[in-house]
Amino acid sequence: MPSPTDPSRPAPAATDWAASTEAPTVEELTTPLRPLAQPGEISPETLSEARHILRRCDQLAALSADPEGIERVSLSREHRMANTLAATWMQELGMRTRQDAVGNLWGRIEGRDPGLPALVLGSHLDTVPGAGRYDGVLGVLLALHVVRRVQERWHEMPVALEVVAFTDEEGTRFGTALMGSRAVAGDPDDAWWTATDARGVSVPDALRGFGLSAERVGDAARDPASIAAYLEAHIEQRPFLERAGQSLGVVTGIAGARRMRIRLRGEARHAGTPYDLRHDALLGASRAITAIMDLAERTGASATVGHIAVAPDAVNVVPGSAEFSLDYRTDDDARRDAEIERIRQELLRICTAGGLELEMADTHRAATVTCAPGLRAAVEQGITETTGEQRPLELFSVAGHDAMAMAGITDMAMMFIRCRGGISHNAAEAVTLDDVARALDAFERAALLVAVRGGGGR
Ligand SMILES: [Zn+2]
């Protein structure tokens, strides 16, 4: 039951669909039910709903393995609690809910006929350790609150409406990012079956603990014909909306990251060895990392070296080997690969000069995906009509998202919401009430525009 503090329902429609004998027009179907605010203005009803969304973000934040912060990794007890709570919210809206074979939560309402392909709205409910309240969670809640607004007239729509709360977008627990959405896209990764968490629990064991089974994960795959389109709202996680003074942005595409393991081999020697006789692998690695970062800064790529290990790892031994990770992202796969080739040449030069051997091996490689133009236009129109911004900021997502995996089976588009300082994966993650309100209006509008034409992303 809704609590007494729930915001009031949206104002009743001018047209009583249930009593109407005429089929509603596209205009009628896409006109918001609540009183129209001028672009750039936010109605009190929308603000009240945004407050409700933020309270729900707080409720989910409380489902944490870490009492001091937010940690809700996939297939955990907290994940189960989050799915249960979100399922309750879906059921309150009259949605039919189910948890699929990999632990994603789905809710569905039918369109004008049962069994139609669905417009899917969603994001993820898992978090990194020390997470903020909004990464993923805000997208799921915006999707739910769009349903809350449109459910009464959805029986006129040419598509069903589904909300998905994906599991394991972050990949924190097993190092398996996008496990939930990749399973839905029918694109499982063989690495899942051997991955373990920090306590040695394997993915199959964790699935079993969640009441699921590794053998059945394939059942989570959706028939592409059953999905009309996928839309996701997500905090930006970068500072560009804030710098532009805009609340919402339209995503153009999502970078396909390439990750590598780079190993330099030299010779472990006593700390008293003269410099001209050393083959110092760590010194070579530090020069290599500096060269990579210089190149990436010049080209505008996003390069991250987040892990390094040296051997023998002793204070009085010249390192004989150094291994580091490289995560490299650009907005174009060919450009990315060309830059990595330049990096290889530069590293070879550094290694030759230092008497070192170089090994570079890919550990992950994903293709850049582009948001479907038709869906992107709907998101843009939603933002413009809500914020009055004639040219909403276009943003290329350097971060990976579930939409990336969904692009494998359907057209997709994304909307970004400004977050303070671009900070994410941090307890300091913050959004404003006004931005959440605008996001709700814009996302509803985009969903309606897409739904009336039955998807149609291209
Ligand atoms: Zn996320």
Side-chain angles (χ1 to χ4, degrees), residues 409-430:
I409 51 165
T410 190
D411 290 329
M412 66 81 187
M414 289 188 75
M415 180 178 80
F416 274 168
I417 300 138
R418 169 167 59 185
C419 63
R420 185 179 62 197
I423 296 169
S424 182
H425 287 190
N426 186 303
E429 217 170 71

Side-chain angles (χ1 to χ4, degrees), residues 123-124 126 135-136 169-170 232 234-235 237 400-402 425:
S123 194
H124 60 96
D126 69 310
D135 177 356
E169 190 271 348
E170 303 286 4
E232 178 168 352
H234 201 283
I235 56 167
Q237 304 179 293
H401 294 289
D402 291 305
H425 287 190

Side-chain angles (χ1 to χ4, degrees), residues 98-103 183-184 188 192-193 204 207-208 211-222:
R98 67 187 177 91
Q99 187 173 271
D100 71 14
V102 74
V184 168
W192 295 352
W193 313 124
L207 284 165
R208 204 169 304 122
L212 302 168
S213 104
E215 292 73 37
R216 302 284 306 272
V217 160
D219 295 352
R222 288 285 297 257

Side-chain angles (χ1 to χ4, degrees), residues 166-233:
F166 285 114
T167 180
D168 202 41
E169 190 271 348
E170 303 286 4
T172 298
R173 183 170 177 188
F174 303 104
T176 51
L178 305 179
M179 188 157 85
S181 44
R182 284 187 65 174
V184 168
D187 179 30
D189 186 340
D190 286 343
W192 295 352
W193 313 124
T194 50
T196 55
D197 69 8
R199 291 182 183 155
V201 178
S202 68
V203 173
D205 285 346
L207 284 165
R208 204 169 304 122
F210 212 71
L212 302 168
S213 104
E215 292 73 37
R216 302 284 306 272
V217 160
D219 295 352
R222 288 285 297 257
D223 175 1
S226 74
I227 299 182
Y230 175 75
L231 295 179
E232 178 168 352

